[in-house]
Amino acid sequence: MVSLRTAAIEVLEENRMAGFTRPARGLYPHQWSWDSGFIAIGLRRIAPARARDELLTLLRGQWRDGRIPQIVYTAGADDRYQPGADFWGDAGRELGAAAATAGFVQPPIHGIAALLVARADPEHAPAFLERVYPALAAWHDYLSERRARDGALAEIVHPWESGTDNTPLWDAALERIPRDAATEIRRPDLQHADAGERPGRKDYERYFWIAEHYRDRGCRDDDALPFRMVDPAFNALWALSEHALARIAALLGRPVAAHEERAERIAAALDELFLDALGCYTAYDAIAGVLVERATASGLVPLVLPGLGRAERLVTTLTGPRFLDGARLVPSYDRTAADHLPGQYWRGPAWFNVNWMLATGLRDAGRGDVASGLERAMVEAAAAGDFPEYVDPVTLAPHGTRRFGWTSALVLDALAGGTSFREALA
Ligand code: 2M8
C-alpha cells in the first residue's frame, strides 16, 4: 500500500499541466487563481521549483489594471467547462493578459503563498520574489483602487469571486438578480459531480446574468454593478497577503510602510463586519447596506490574521455548536441553521482549504490542540475518500469530485507538520 504522502503526490502529478496544476481532471480543466495559491503552498513541501512555476504561470494571466483573474483558460477545453474562454472573448488579452482569462478575480491568497514558497527554498527566493513582487503589488493596488472605492474593504462583484460560490451569504443579494441570462447554460459540471452537490439551475441563471452584465460593460468596476458584497474571508486574506508583501518588500530592500499601513487598515475595517449575535464576522451587502445574518466559515477566516483582537471570541464560536462541537471538521455553514446541508457544496460541507486556514490560524493563536485535531481529520478524510473536494463535517463522507488538487496539496502540508503564518511573517 502506498503512503498517503505518495498518494497525494500522485494526485498532483495526475493534475499537472503546462506550468500549473488543474484542480481536478474532469470538473475543472483550467487554472484557478486561489486553487493555485493553495496548491503552491503544498507543492513547496515536495517541489519548490514547481511551486514557484505554479504562481508564475498564473501571473501570465494578469491584466494591465493589476487584476489576477479567477481562471486562466486551457486552450481547447471550452466544451468541458462553462463559462469557457469563448464567454469572455478578448477582454483580458486586450488588457494585457498573455493568456485567455476570465474577467473576475478570486480571494488574494497569492501574497502569503509567494512568501511561503520563497521561505521553502531560500537559495532561489530573491530571484523569485523580484519577479512576483511587482505583480503582486499591482494586484493589491487594483483591489484598493477599483474594489475598495468606499473604504478599506474590497467588494466582490460575483459569487464566484468569493470562491465559496453558493454560500448562504449571497442568497438575499442574488434574489435581486434577474434569471434571463442570454447564454445557453449547458452545465458540463454535472457530468462530474452529483447535481444535488452542486449549485442549482436558478443559481446558474443568476451567475450568468451577472457575468454577462460585467463582461458587456468591459469588466469595469463601477457603481452600476448589480452585485456588490464585502466578504470577510476575501478581505482577511487580503490583509494577510498585504502583511506578506511588507515582508517580501523588506527582504528585497524596498519600502514596507505602505503595505503595513494597508494591512492594518483592512484589519481594522474588518471589525465593521463582526456580528456579536453570531460570534463571528459576516458579509456586508453594499447595495442593500446591510450585514448578512448568517454564520459561515468565511466569518471565521479572519483568525488567520496575526494579532487579531477578536481571536479568542472566534475560537469560542469555532469550537461551539454552530461549527466544530459534534463535528470532526469545521463546516462551511452553521450546523444549527435549519437550511444547513452537509453534502451541498458551500452550504454545509467541510472544505480542506478552509480547515487548513483555520488550523493555521488556531495554531498561531495558541490553540495547537484544536489545530491538530483538524489536521488529523483532514488526513483521515483524504485517505478514506480519495482526496475529495469536500466532506460531511461530522461523518467525513466524501462529496464532490475526487483526487482534488488543493485537498492533496494541503494534506501534504499537514503531513509535514502544518504552517505558521506568524513564523513566515517574522
Ligand atoms: C469552485 O468554483 C467554480 C467557479 O470558480 C465552479 O463552481 O465551477 C469553487 O469551489 C472555487 O472555490 C474553486 O476555486 C473552483 C475550482 O476548484 O471551484
Short mmCIF file of all heavy atoms in Angstrom, two decimals, residues 314-362:
data_model
loop_
_atom_site.label_atom_id
_atom_site.label_comp_id
_atom_site.label_asym_id
_atom_site.label_seq_id
_atom_site.Cartn_x
_atom_site.Cartn_y
_atom_site.Cartn_z
N LEU A 314 -13.53 34.25 18.38
CA LEU A 314 -13.68 33.42 17.18
C LEU A 314 -13.43 31.95 17.50
O LEU A 314 -14.12 31.07 16.99
CB LEU A 314 -12.71 33.86 16.08
CG LEU A 314 -13.14 35.01 15.16
CD1 LEU A 314 -12.17 35.10 13.98
CD2 LEU A 314 -14.55 34.82 14.65
N VAL A 315 -12.42 31.69 18.34
CA VAL A 315 -12.13 30.30 18.72
C VAL A 315 -13.32 29.71 19.46
O VAL A 315 -13.72 28.57 19.23
CB VAL A 315 -10.83 30.22 19.57
CG1 VAL A 315 -10.62 28.81 20.08
CG2 VAL A 315 -9.63 30.68 18.76
N THR A 316 -13.94 30.52 20.33
CA THR A 316 -15.13 30.04 21.06
C THR A 316 -16.23 29.68 20.07
O THR A 316 -16.89 28.63 20.19
CB THR A 316 -15.62 31.13 22.04
OG1 THR A 316 -14.53 31.47 22.90
CG2 THR A 316 -16.80 30.68 22.86
N THR A 317 -16.46 30.52 19.09
CA THR A 317 -17.51 30.23 18.09
C THR A 317 -17.14 29.01 17.26
O THR A 317 -17.97 28.14 17.01
CB THR A 317 -17.70 31.46 17.17
OG1 THR A 317 -17.94 32.59 17.99
CG2 THR A 317 -18.86 31.26 16.21
N LEU A 318 -15.88 28.96 16.86
CA LEU A 318 -15.41 27.84 16.02
C LEU A 318 -15.59 26.50 16.73
O LEU A 318 -16.00 25.51 16.12
CB LEU A 318 -13.95 28.10 15.67
CG LEU A 318 -13.25 27.22 14.65
CD1 LEU A 318 -12.03 27.95 14.08
CD2 LEU A 318 -12.79 25.89 15.20
N THR A 319 -15.29 26.48 18.01
CA THR A 319 -15.36 25.20 18.74
C THR A 319 -16.77 24.96 19.31
O THR A 319 -17.00 23.93 19.92
CB THR A 319 -14.33 25.18 19.90
OG1 THR A 319 -14.51 26.37 20.67
CG2 THR A 319 -12.91 25.13 19.38
N GLY A 320 -17.67 25.89 19.10
CA GLY A 320 -19.02 25.77 19.64
C GLY A 320 -19.98 25.03 18.72
O GLY A 320 -19.59 24.49 17.69
N PRO A 321 -21.27 25.01 19.11
CA PRO A 321 -22.28 24.20 18.41
C PRO A 321 -22.51 24.58 16.94
O PRO A 321 -22.89 23.74 16.14
CB PRO A 321 -23.56 24.42 19.22
CG PRO A 321 -23.28 25.58 20.11
CD PRO A 321 -21.82 25.69 20.30
N ARG A 322 -22.28 25.83 16.57
CA ARG A 322 -22.51 26.20 15.17
C ARG A 322 -21.52 25.52 14.23
O ARG A 322 -21.78 25.29 13.07
CB ARG A 322 -22.37 27.70 14.97
CG ARG A 322 -23.44 28.53 15.62
CD ARG A 322 -23.27 29.99 15.19
NE ARG A 322 -24.02 30.90 16.03
CZ ARG A 322 -25.31 31.17 15.88
NH1 ARG A 322 -26.00 30.58 14.93
NH2 ARG A 322 -25.91 32.02 16.69
N PHE A 323 -20.34 25.21 14.75
CA PHE A 323 -19.28 24.69 13.88
C PHE A 323 -18.73 23.36 14.36
O PHE A 323 -19.20 22.31 13.96
CB PHE A 323 -18.19 25.76 13.69
CG PHE A 323 -18.68 26.96 12.94
CD1 PHE A 323 -19.04 28.14 13.60
CD2 PHE A 323 -18.82 26.92 11.55
CE1 PHE A 323 -19.54 29.23 12.89
CE2 PHE A 323 -19.31 28.00 10.84
CZ PHE A 323 -19.67 29.17 11.52
N LEU A 324 -17.75 23.36 15.25
CA LEU A 324 -16.98 22.13 15.49
C LEU A 324 -17.55 21.22 16.58
O LEU A 324 -17.26 20.02 16.58
CB LEU A 324 -15.53 22.52 15.82
CG LEU A 324 -14.47 21.45 15.57
CD1 LEU A 324 -14.55 20.87 14.17
CD2 LEU A 324 -13.09 22.02 15.83
N ASP A 325 -18.34 21.77 17.49
CA ASP A 325 -18.88 20.93 18.57
C ASP A 325 -19.77 19.84 17.95
O ASP A 325 -20.77 20.14 17.31
CB ASP A 325 -19.69 21.81 19.54
CG ASP A 325 -20.09 21.05 20.79
OD1 ASP A 325 -19.64 19.90 20.95
OD2 ASP A 325 -20.87 21.61 21.59
N GLY A 326 -19.35 18.58 18.08
CA GLY A 326 -20.13 17.48 17.48
C GLY A 326 -19.68 17.14 16.06
O GLY A 326 -20.23 16.25 15.44
N ALA A 327 -18.69 17.88 15.53
CA ALA A 327 -18.21 17.60 14.16
C ALA A 327 -16.71 17.33 14.20
O ALA A 327 -16.04 17.59 15.20
CB ALA A 327 -18.50 18.79 13.25
N ARG A 328 -16.17 16.78 13.11
CA ARG A 328 -14.74 16.50 13.03
C ARG A 328 -13.99 17.64 12.31
O ARG A 328 -12.82 17.89 12.55
CB ARG A 328 -14.50 15.19 12.25
CG ARG A 328 -15.14 13.95 12.84
CD ARG A 328 -14.37 13.41 14.04
NE ARG A 328 -12.93 13.32 13.84
CZ ARG A 328 -12.29 12.34 13.19
NH1 ARG A 328 -12.97 11.33 12.68
NH2 ARG A 328 -10.98 12.35 13.07
N LEU A 329 -14.68 18.25 11.36
CA LEU A 329 -14.08 19.37 10.62
C LEU A 329 -15.05 20.55 10.66
O LEU A 329 -16.26 20.36 10.86
CB LEU A 329 -13.81 18.97 9.16
CG LEU A 329 -12.60 18.06 8.92
CD1 LEU A 329 -12.58 17.54 7.48
CD2 LEU A 329 -11.29 18.81 9.22
N VAL A 330 -14.52 21.75 10.47
CA VAL A 330 -15.37 22.94 10.51
C VAL A 330 -16.21 22.98 9.23
O VAL A 330 -15.68 22.98 8.12
CB VAL A 330 -14.50 24.22 10.61
CG1 VAL A 330 -15.38 25.46 10.56
CG2 VAL A 330 -13.67 24.20 11.89
N PRO A 331 -17.54 23.01 9.38
CA PRO A 331 -18.42 23.05 8.20
C PRO A 331 -18.40 24.43 7.55
O PRO A 331 -18.05 25.42 8.20
CB PRO A 331 -19.80 22.78 8.80
CG PRO A 331 -19.72 23.31 10.19
CD PRO A 331 -18.29 23.07 10.65
N SER A 332 -18.77 24.49 6.29
CA SER A 332 -18.79 25.79 5.60
C SER A 332 -19.93 26.67 6.12
O SER A 332 -19.87 27.89 5.98
CB SER A 332 -18.91 25.59 4.09
OG SER A 332 -19.88 24.62 3.78
N TYR A 333 -20.94 26.03 6.71
CA TYR A 333 -22.11 26.80 7.16
C TYR A 333 -22.63 26.22 8.47
O TYR A 333 -22.67 25.00 8.65
CB TYR A 333 -23.17 26.74 6.04
CG TYR A 333 -24.48 27.44 6.33
CD1 TYR A 333 -24.51 28.70 6.94
CD2 TYR A 333 -25.68 26.85 5.96
CE1 TYR A 333 -25.72 29.33 7.18
CE2 TYR A 333 -26.89 27.49 6.19
CZ TYR A 333 -26.91 28.72 6.80
OH TYR A 333 -28.10 29.35 7.03
N ASP A 334 -23.02 27.14 9.34
CA ASP A 334 -23.65 26.91 10.64
C ASP A 334 -24.45 25.59 10.71
O ASP A 334 -25.49 25.45 10.05
CB ASP A 334 -24.61 28.11 10.84
CG ASP A 334 -25.17 28.20 12.23
OD1 ASP A 334 -24.99 27.24 12.99
OD2 ASP A 334 -25.76 29.25 12.53
N ARG A 335 -23.99 24.67 11.56
CA ARG A 335 -24.70 23.39 11.68
C ARG A 335 -26.04 23.53 12.40
O ARG A 335 -26.89 22.65 12.30
CB ARG A 335 -23.83 22.37 12.44
CG ARG A 335 -22.64 21.94 11.61
CD ARG A 335 -21.81 20.91 12.33
NE ARG A 335 -22.59 19.74 12.68
CZ ARG A 335 -22.69 19.25 13.92
NH1 ARG A 335 -22.07 19.84 14.92
NH2 ARG A 335 -23.41 18.18 14.17
N THR A 336 -26.26 24.65 13.10
CA THR A 336 -27.53 24.81 13.81
C THR A 336 -28.58 25.49 12.91
O THR A 336 -29.74 25.62 13.31
CB THR A 336 -27.37 25.66 15.10
OG1 THR A 336 -26.99 27.00 14.72
CG2 THR A 336 -26.29 25.10 16.02
N ALA A 337 -28.19 25.91 11.72
CA ALA A 337 -29.15 26.59 10.83
C ALA A 337 -30.08 25.55 10.21
O ALA A 337 -29.65 24.45 9.85
CB ALA A 337 -28.41 27.35 9.74
N ALA A 338 -31.34 25.92 10.05
CA ALA A 338 -32.34 24.96 9.52
C ALA A 338 -31.99 24.53 8.11
O ALA A 338 -32.33 23.43 7.69
CB ALA A 338 -33.72 25.62 9.56
N ASP A 339 -31.32 25.40 7.35
CA ASP A 339 -31.01 25.05 5.95
C ASP A 339 -29.55 24.60 5.77
O ASP A 339 -29.03 24.65 4.66
CB ASP A 339 -31.35 26.23 5.02
CG ASP A 339 -30.66 27.52 5.43
OD1 ASP A 339 -30.06 27.58 6.53
OD2 ASP A 339 -30.71 28.49 4.64
N HIS A 340 -28.90 24.16 6.83
CA HIS A 340 -27.55 23.57 6.71
C HIS A 340 -27.67 22.24 5.96
O HIS A 340 -28.48 21.39 6.32
CB HIS A 340 -26.96 23.34 8.11
CG HIS A 340 -25.73 22.48 8.13
ND1 HIS A 340 -24.46 22.99 8.09
CD2 HIS A 340 -25.59 21.13 8.17
CE1 HIS A 340 -23.58 21.99 8.12
NE2 HIS A 340 -24.24 20.85 8.16
N LEU A 341 -26.86 22.05 4.92
CA LEU A 341 -26.89 20.81 4.13
C LEU A 341 -25.48 20.22 4.09
O LEU A 341 -24.62 20.76 3.39
CB LEU A 341 -27.38 21.11 2.70
CG LEU A 341 -28.82 21.60 2.56
CD1 LEU A 341 -29.08 22.15 1.16
CD2 LEU A 341 -29.79 20.46 2.87
N PRO A 342 -25.23 19.14 4.83
CA PRO A 342 -23.85 18.67 5.00
C PRO A 342 -23.16 18.13 3.74
O PRO A 342 -21.96 17.88 3.76
CB PRO A 342 -23.99 17.56 6.06
CG PRO A 342 -25.41 17.15 6.01
CD PRO A 342 -26.20 18.36 5.61
N GLY A 343 -23.93 17.94 2.64
CA GLY A 343 -23.29 17.43 1.41
C GLY A 343 -23.38 18.41 0.26
O GLY A 343 -23.03 18.08 -0.87
N GLN A 344 -23.92 19.63 0.50
CA GLN A 344 -24.21 20.54 -0.61
C GLN A 344 -23.20 21.67 -0.74
O GLN A 344 -23.40 22.75 -0.19
CB GLN A 344 -25.64 21.07 -0.47
CG GLN A 344 -26.43 21.10 -1.77
CD GLN A 344 -26.10 22.32 -2.64
OE1 GLN A 344 -25.56 23.31 -2.17
NE2 GLN A 344 -26.39 22.22 -3.93
N TYR A 345 -22.12 21.42 -1.43
CA TYR A 345 -21.17 22.44 -1.88
C TYR A 345 -20.80 23.42 -0.75
O TYR A 345 -20.29 22.99 0.28
CB TYR A 345 -21.80 23.13 -3.09
CG TYR A 345 -20.80 23.59 -4.13
CD1 TYR A 345 -19.71 22.82 -4.47
CD2 TYR A 345 -20.97 24.82 -4.77
CE1 TYR A 345 -18.81 23.26 -5.43
CE2 TYR A 345 -20.08 25.26 -5.74
CZ TYR A 345 -19.00 24.47 -6.07
OH TYR A 345 -18.12 24.91 -7.01
N TRP A 346 -21.06 24.69 -0.90
CA TRP A 346 -20.63 25.64 0.13
C TRP A 346 -21.75 25.94 1.12
O TRP A 346 -21.74 26.97 1.79
CB TRP A 346 -20.10 26.92 -0.52
CG TRP A 346 -18.79 26.71 -1.24
CD1 TRP A 346 -18.62 26.44 -2.56
CD2 TRP A 346 -17.47 26.70 -0.67
NE1 TRP A 346 -17.29 26.28 -2.86
CE2 TRP A 346 -16.56 26.43 -1.72
CE3 TRP A 346 -16.98 26.89 0.63
CZ2 TRP A 346 -15.17 26.36 -1.51
CZ3 TRP A 346 -15.60 26.82 0.83
CH2 TRP A 346 -14.73 26.56 -0.23
N ARG A 347 -22.73 25.03 1.25
CA ARG A 347 -23.86 25.26 2.17
C ARG A 347 -23.84 24.29 3.34
O ARG A 347 -24.87 24.00 3.94
CB ARG A 347 -25.19 25.17 1.42
CG ARG A 347 -25.28 26.13 0.23
CD ARG A 347 -26.62 26.08 -0.45
NE ARG A 347 -27.65 26.71 0.35
CZ ARG A 347 -27.96 28.01 0.29
NH1 ARG A 347 -27.31 28.82 -0.53
NH2 ARG A 347 -28.91 28.49 1.04
N GLY A 348 -22.67 23.77 3.67
CA GLY A 348 -22.59 22.86 4.82
C GLY A 348 -21.33 22.01 4.88
O GLY A 348 -20.73 21.89 5.96
N PRO A 349 -20.93 21.38 3.77
CA PRO A 349 -19.74 20.51 3.85
C PRO A 349 -18.49 21.22 4.37
O PRO A 349 -18.41 22.46 4.34
CB PRO A 349 -19.51 20.08 2.40
CG PRO A 349 -20.82 20.25 1.73
CD PRO A 349 -21.50 21.40 2.42
N ALA A 350 -17.54 20.40 4.82
CA ALA A 350 -16.24 20.94 5.23
C ALA A 350 -15.30 20.91 4.03
O ALA A 350 -15.27 19.92 3.29
CB ALA A 350 -15.68 20.09 6.36
N TRP A 351 -14.55 21.98 3.88
CA TRP A 351 -13.57 22.11 2.78
C TRP A 351 -12.17 22.09 3.35
O TRP A 351 -11.91 22.67 4.42
CB TRP A 351 -13.83 23.42 2.02
CG TRP A 351 -15.06 23.37 1.16
CD1 TRP A 351 -16.36 23.43 1.58
CD2 TRP A 351 -15.10 23.22 -0.27
NE1 TRP A 351 -17.20 23.34 0.48
CE2 TRP A 351 -16.46 23.22 -0.65
CE3 TRP A 351 -14.12 23.11 -1.27
CZ2 TRP A 351 -16.86 23.08 -1.99
CZ3 TRP A 351 -14.52 22.98 -2.59
CH2 TRP A 351 -15.88 22.97 -2.95
N PHE A 352 -11.26 21.49 2.60
CA PHE A 352 -9.89 21.34 3.10
C PHE A 352 -9.14 22.67 3.16
O PHE A 352 -8.34 22.89 4.06
CB PHE A 352 -9.13 20.33 2.24
CG PHE A 352 -9.61 18.91 2.45
CD1 PHE A 352 -10.80 18.49 1.87
CD2 PHE A 352 -8.92 18.03 3.25
CE1 PHE A 352 -11.28 17.19 2.08
CE2 PHE A 352 -9.38 16.73 3.47
CZ PHE A 352 -10.56 16.32 2.87
N ASN A 353 -9.38 23.54 2.19
CA ASN A 353 -8.65 24.82 2.23
C ASN A 353 -9.08 25.66 3.43
O ASN A 353 -8.26 26.27 4.12
CB ASN A 353 -8.80 25.59 0.91
CG ASN A 353 -10.24 25.99 0.61
OD1 ASN A 353 -11.18 25.35 1.09
ND2 ASN A 353 -10.41 27.03 -0.18
N VAL A 354 -10.38 25.66 3.70
CA VAL A 354 -10.90 26.45 4.83
C VAL A 354 -10.36 25.87 6.14
O VAL A 354 -9.89 26.60 7.02
CB VAL A 354 -12.44 26.46 4.80
CG1 VAL A 354 -12.99 27.09 6.08
CG2 VAL A 354 -12.96 27.19 3.57
N ASN A 355 -10.42 24.54 6.27
CA ASN A 355 -9.93 23.92 7.51
C ASN A 355 -8.43 24.09 7.67
O ASN A 355 -7.94 24.25 8.79
CB ASN A 355 -10.37 22.45 7.57
CG ASN A 355 -11.78 22.33 8.10
OD1 ASN A 355 -12.00 22.25 9.30
ND2 ASN A 355 -12.77 22.41 7.20
N TRP A 356 -7.72 24.11 6.56
CA TRP A 356 -6.27 24.35 6.63
C TRP A 356 -6.00 25.78 7.12
O TRP A 356 -5.15 26.00 8.00
CB TRP A 356 -5.62 24.12 5.25
CG TRP A 356 -4.16 24.44 5.25
CD1 TRP A 356 -3.14 23.62 5.62
CD2 TRP A 356 -3.56 25.69 4.89
NE1 TRP A 356 -1.94 24.28 5.50
CE2 TRP A 356 -2.17 25.54 5.06
CE3 TRP A 356 -4.07 26.92 4.43
CZ2 TRP A 356 -1.27 26.59 4.78
CZ3 TRP A 356 -3.18 27.96 4.16
CH2 TRP A 356 -1.79 27.78 4.34
N MET A 357 -6.74 26.77 6.57
CA MET A 357 -6.53 28.16 7.02
C MET A 357 -6.86 28.28 8.50
O MET A 357 -6.14 28.95 9.26
CB MET A 357 -7.42 29.13 6.22
CG MET A 357 -6.99 29.29 4.78
SD MET A 357 -7.89 30.62 3.93
CE MET A 357 -9.44 29.85 3.50
N LEU A 358 -7.97 27.64 8.91
CA LEU A 358 -8.38 27.75 10.31
C LEU A 358 -7.39 27.04 11.22
O LEU A 358 -7.06 27.55 12.30
CB LEU A 358 -9.80 27.21 10.50
CG LEU A 358 -10.89 28.01 9.75
CD1 LEU A 358 -12.25 27.34 9.93
CD2 LEU A 358 -10.95 29.46 10.25
N ALA A 359 -6.90 25.88 10.80
CA ALA A 359 -5.91 25.17 11.62
C ALA A 359 -4.67 26.03 11.80
O ALA A 359 -4.12 26.13 12.91
CB ALA A 359 -5.55 23.83 10.98
N THR A 360 -4.25 26.67 10.74
CA THR A 360 -3.05 27.53 10.81
C THR A 360 -3.31 28.71 11.75
O THR A 360 -2.47 29.02 12.61
CB THR A 360 -2.68 28.01 9.40
OG1 THR A 360 -2.59 26.87 8.56
CG2 THR A 360 -1.36 28.75 9.37
N GLY A 361 -4.47 29.33 11.61
CA GLY A 361 -4.83 30.45 12.48
C GLY A 361 -4.92 30.01 13.94
O GLY A 361 -4.47 30.71 14.85
N LEU A 362 -5.50 28.83 14.15
CA LEU A 362 -5.65 28.32 15.52
C LEU A 362 -4.29 28.08 16.16
O LEU A 362 -4.05 28.43 17.32
CB LEU A 362 -6.43 27.00 15.50
CG LEU A 362 -7.95 27.12 15.34
CD1 LEU A 362 -8.56 25.80 14.86
CD2 LEU A 362 -8.60 27.55 16.66
#
